[in-house]
Structure formats: structure tokens, C-alpha cells
Amino acid sequence: MASSRTFASRLGAFWSSPTGPKTTHFWGPVANWGFVIAGVADTQKDASLLSPNMTGAMCVYSALFMRFALAIRPRNYLLFACHAANETVQLYNLQRWQRHAKGWSVSDREADTHTPSGLPRTRIVVLGSGWGAISFLRSLDPKLTSAVGPYDVTLVSPRNYFLYTPLLPSAATGTVEPRSIVDPVRSHIPDTGNYLEAECVDVDPVGKSITCRYNKPFRGHSNEFTGREFNVPYDVLVVAVGSVTNTFNVPGVEENCFFLKDMEGAKALRQRINECFEISALPSTSPEERKRLLTFVVDIVRVRLVDTHDHVLSTYDRQIAIYATEQFQRQGIELVMGCRVNEVQPGQVVVTDAPTNTKKNVEFGTCIWTTGIKMHPLVGKLAKILPQGAQEHWKSLKTDQFLQVQGTGGTILAMGDAATVAQDTALNHAEQLFAQGDTNGDGVLNCEEVITLMLKARKQFPMLAEFAARMNCGGADVASTSSFMREMMHSQTRGSYDNVIATQTFGDEDEEEEVVSNEPLASTSGDAGTEQPAMTLEQFKKQLKELEKGLRSLPATAQVASQQGKYLAQVLKDNPLVLQPGPNGPTVRAISPNANPFNYVHLGSLAYIGADKAVMDPAYKDGKVGALKGWLMGFAWKGVETFMQISVKNMYLVSRDMIKTKVFGRDVSDV
Ligand SMILES: Cc1cc2nc3c(=O)[nH]c(=O)nc-3n(C[C@H](O)[C@H](O)[C@H](O)COP(=O)(O)OP(=O)(O)OC[C@H]3O[C@@H](n4cnc5c(N)ncnc54)[C@H](O)[C@@H]3O)c2cc1C
């Protein structure tokens, strides 16, 4: 009774109030809701129909009235609410118009195959959603892909997310969560663009079309969509499919090892680590089995690292490599160096100890294969069908300095692990180099001469370092001066190796494809009268030719791929690939030879070595910079890996995970 009387008295007070229904202060705001309704209706219209002047005026008008409604006495809350709502809806419309004007409008999705001026839009099909492809898409000027722009972009990749590979080992060991280092590709493709979650299985460079296949299982529907194929035509194809892990055809690797190349591999490894922990805790597990399973437990660490080299991080400066080796040993990691893996059997790796040439077994609970890389099968297929002689490289597609694949007339571009930029080869200068190197004029190059030549010419031809290594010339000079070269040759995966049980770091050459001639070399007498290997000019040329077929001009790293993606976006802006009439239909003209060539800027290398420490191989060494290593570098590594994330969301997630792990420890739950 009392509450109904209170309500009646309140209604009466409102009815007679100075802002009540008997005044214009009430009916004015009510009428103003018409603006809000009109604004909401505008949100459904095409952004091109919006008037920026009118919408902008409405924003200012409502902001003033919001202030007015609170400034007057009594305050008019109805007026305030109405203009706050109008302000929100008009600001939303204003940003829609702005995105449209910049070429980002969502309503542009149904972009035409022609620009409004009647020119056909160039269909750019990008293969891959990794470092190269996403860096390209993110750097592409939105105006070029707008409804009025010259490009129509389609992304094809079986992976609908970008993966931040440097933190993959951290995801496997539980330092960061898998979702923290991935970002959906759809946030990075232009609004007018298209994404197809499929694998490209074939390329027809003549008909300019690709064949794609949807390969994911679709459970519960008898996989009716799996394996379906379709064609996608293109005017320009950008190949950024990366590379695949090289098993070197070592028996048992596929069946018995874990791989750290993608998120599936990292998740499988994380689960395996958890399984090892849990099984070892069961009363039914014998002490021997427990010892084998728990090769990574801190107290009884039996982390073993198998490598063909004599020290870890062989692509780094020798001082750093030695430091990392010591640190690993201090952490109780058993290093099995200078060994070549013959076979991986369940629970053990059979290796040959190079110095003694004896076989031994290395037991493991979990074996992780983190060797080098080899050519993606699609890249191999494409290289074979391009005009003869255009592609001789057996690890990647050879491009010119504008990243145009040789033998495609500029219709196919490639970057990242899938590509190698053609460079001036040492073979072109073989005679000159030989004459320069043959200081004693005996017509052959001995070890000493090769090393001297390498030191003189390595800046221009870094492959000479490897050349010396292949002559078994050895020595500290070779080791210390060939680190950049080794990086190119080995391109091994990096990152956190804590918890790694057994790894093998090989070069990225495929043994079965290894074509460097093994014919015996000539020999000369050394100072002490010992026989040294030596070679004639013909042998020198032959060896150079074979060596250069397998050499990458740049290391297979994220740094290179992302710089190439950015470069390509800029080149396609500065030199628009517009369609021209051709004998087989419209085609694009190759990038102008006057365009700026791709220029790689090496920013240095950072590697986490566990126990909060990291090492850095700086890009510029002037002799004053010593090896950068230790806790401080560990901190720098964490900062770099956080701030290099692709989005603010990922930066937040990675920093949150790192702090969480530090404070509460790793999450070992099996989910
Ligand atoms: C564990 C690990 C750690 C690493 N750490 C570092 C590091 O610290 N620093 C560094 O510089 N580099 C690092 N790298 C190397 C770096 O990740 C690669 O060099 C880089 O990813 C190459 O970029 P990309 O664009 O060529 O290929 P990727 O990034 O591998 O992307 C290839 C894309 O192609 C897609 N794809 C594959 N097949 C097809 C197909 N048939 N059709 C369509 N799409 C396809 C894939 O799904 C993927 O999206 C690391 C690599 C690994 C595996």
C-alpha cells in the first residue's frame, strides 16, 4: 500500500516537474530520439551513401547537448541519454564512412572484378599464412585492395591462423599457451579479400590457375567435404608456403620422433611430456622405466642433445656457441656431440660417433627431431614444370632481386623459406678467384690457399667458407668466419631447448639429393711434408657449381620472410601490376627493372638457452662488442618475443603467460 502511494507521488512529482511531460524540456528530447532512430537505420546502408559533413555535424551537435543537459538545473537526464545514444551511433557511422573512404569498407566485400573506371582488377592469389604471406598482406596499402583499387586478393592456406614460430618451443613446454602465439588470418586480409582454407596441390603456370584441396576431416558427416578439389584462377601468384622438416630419410624418424614445426607438433609434444610425468608417477612403473621417461626432470635431468657438430648453436659466433655449450652442461643436459644419427628405434637413437667411427645407442623417453629443412613438395613440383634451365636450385624457387620467380615472366612471386634470391655467384668469377687464390702458382689450390682466399673474398662470396669446410681444411679461422654462411647452410630451428630430450641439428641439405662430387682431389705437400687435399681449376669450378645449386642466398628465417613480405607490398604499390592485353588473355607486366631490389637487413640473432638466459649474435660486430649472453639477454629475449607479436592482443597474452609461469610455474594439466 505504502509502495503504491510512493510510486503515485513520484509520478505526480515527475508530471509537474520543470522537465516533465507538461514542458518542452520533455517533448524536445523525445523528438530528438528521431535522430537516433535515423542513425541506426543508416548503419544498415552502404557506407558510400553516408554524408561525412552531416554525420560529423550530428556528432558535434550531440556532444554539445550532452554537456548542456548536465549543465542546466534541474539536469535533464532524458536529453542526456538521447544525445549520448545519438553520439554513439553517429560516431560509428563516421568511422564506417572513413573506412570506406580509405578503402576498408565491410560493404566492399562484394568487390567487382573491375574497378569503377572499367579496368579489370589484378587477381593476386597468396599461398600460405606464415611470416612472408601475413607480413605482405599487413603491409599492402588498403587503397590498392579497396573496391576502387587495382588488386583483388585471395589467400589460400590450410592453416587459418598466423603462427609466431619463435615461441613454438615455449608452447610445447608450457611457458606460453598455444592460443597466445596465434592470430586468425581473417584479421589480416583486406575487407574486399577472400580467404580459402585449403591446400594448394598444383599450379598451372601457363593457364594461370591453381588446384586446391580441402583436406581437413569433417567428422560425423562421413568426411563428405574432405578431399574436395577446386581451381582458383590468378593473374599473380605469391608463393609463401615455407619449407618442410628434413628427416634425411633416417629410418624410424617419422614413427618415433616428435617434430617442432607447427602447432600440432607442439601440442603433441606438450601432451607427451605430461604423459611421461604421469606414467612415471605410477606404482606400476619400474625405476629403469622411470629413469627413461623422466629424462627432463630437474633433479635427475637426463636431457640429451645429439648434434653432428662439435658444439651447440653452431650458426652463432664461436664464443657464444662455447658459452651455450657450457650452460647446457651446467644445467645437466648431456651433450652427445659430433654424432650422426643412423636410426631412431622405439626408446633409443642409434648414432655413429664421428671421431671414433663407432656406433652407440642413446636412450630416450621422448625424441624431438629439430633438424634442418627441405623444399616444400609444392615448390619442387612447380620448379619442375617451369621452363627448362629456369630453376636448378634444389631447395627453393630461384627469384630475381624483385622476388619474381625465374621463368615465370613476373606472374609468380616467391618469398620466405620457399625462395632464394639469385645472387652473383662465385662460379661466374671462378677463373679470377682461382688465380687470386693460387699464390704459389702451382696450378692447384691447397688448404692454406683456400682459407686465405676465403678470408679475402668471403664478404662478396660467403659460400667460400663452406667450400673450405668441405675441403676438410678445418681450423679456427674457418669456424669463426663462416658463421653467417653456416646459418644459410643449416637454417636450423632455434628457440628454447629446455626439456628437449634428443635433437639433431643437421645442415638443410638432403642427403639423397647431395650432389657435391666425391671424386678424389689432387694433393700437395704441406709444410711438414704431409699430403694436403688440393684442386685444379676444373675441380674448383665443378665443386663451386654443385655447391651453389644447394645454397640459399639468405638464411631461412622469419626475419627474412617478413622483410620480403613488406618489400613485396611496397613494390606492388610503387609498380602497380596492372593487366595488359596479351596473346593468351590479359597478363601483368613484369616489375620494372628500375624498381628498388630487395635488400635484406640482418638485425642479429637471439636464442634462449634455458634457465632464464639467452645469447645474442649482434648484427654488427666491430670487435668492441663481446658476446652478449646471460640473464640480461634472457630478459631482452623475453621482451623481444613479447613486443614482436603480431597484435596487441598477442603481446598481452604472451606477457601474461610469461609472468604467470614465473609466478605460479608451468601448467602441466593434461587439457
Ligand atoms: C620452432 C621454430 C622456431 C623458429 N625460430 C625462429 C627465430 O627465432 N627467428 C627466426 O628468424 N626464424 C625462426 N624460425 C624460422 C621461421 O619460422 C621460418 O623461417 C619462417 O616461418 C618462414 O616463413 P614463410 O612465410 O616462408 O613460411 P611459414 O611461416 O612456414 O608459412 C608457411 C605457410 O604456408 C602454408 N602452407 C603450407 N603448405 C601449403 C600449401 N600447399 N598451400 C597453401 N599454403 C600452404 C602453411 O600452412 C603456412 O601458413 C623458426 C622456425 C621454427 C619451426
Side-chain angles (χ1 to χ4, degrees), residues 211-252:
T211 307
C212 304
R213 188 183 298 146
Y214 181 76
N215 256 347
K216 278 193 180 166
F218 195 67
R219 291 179 197 91
H221 292 258
S222 51
N223 284 336
E224 60 177 307
F225 304 106
T226 312
R228 284 193 187 175
E229 290 192 353
F230 53 91
N231 290 339
V232 180
Y234 69 85
D235 298 311
V236 176
L237 183 68
V238 179
V239 181
V241 294
S243 53
V244 293
T245 302
N246 199 349
T247 64
F248 301 90
N249 290 333
V250 172

Side-chain angles (χ1 to χ4, degrees), residues 8-60:
S9 66
R10 277 195 183 161
L11 194 66
F14 171 65
W15 185 258
S16 316
S17 85
T19 57
K22 288 197 282 182
T23 69
T24 53
H25 301 297
F26 176 82
W27 291 108
V30 168
N32 279 2
W33 278 98
F35 291 133
V36 184
I37 294 166
V40 170
D42 281 351
T43 61
Q44 301 306 307
K45 292 182 187 155
D46 194 287
S48 61
L49 298 174
L50 295 171
S51 158
N53 294 345
M54 191 60 192
T55 315
M58 288 302 276
C59 290
V60 177

Side-chain angles (χ1 to χ4, degrees), residues 128-132 156-159 165-166 168-169 199-200 240-242 260-261 376 416-417 493-494 556-559 561:
S129 52
W131 280 98
V156 176
S157 175
R159 203 176 73 190
T165 46
L168 205 50
E199 193 179 316
C200 171
V241 294
L260 252 186
K261 185 89 175 110
H376 191 291
D417 289 4
T493 51
R494 299 197 202 96
T557 62
Q559 242 188 89

Side-chain angles (χ1 to χ4, degrees), residues 36 107 186 224 264 285 308 314 366 382 425 433 528 584 633 636:
V36 184
S107 57
R186 287 188 195 274
E224 60 177 307
E264 287 72 36
T285 308
T308 44
S314 54
T366 304
L382 176 58
T425 63
L433 283 168
N584 303 320
M633 281 302 113

Side-chain angles (χ1 to χ4, degrees), residues 112-113 121-125 144-145 150-154 192-194:
D112 214 340
T113 52
R121 283 154 61 83
T122 308
R123 292 162 302 180
I124 300 181
V125 174
L144 298 173
T145 54
Y151 298 146
D152 174 13
V153 177
T154 300
T192 56
N194 196 9

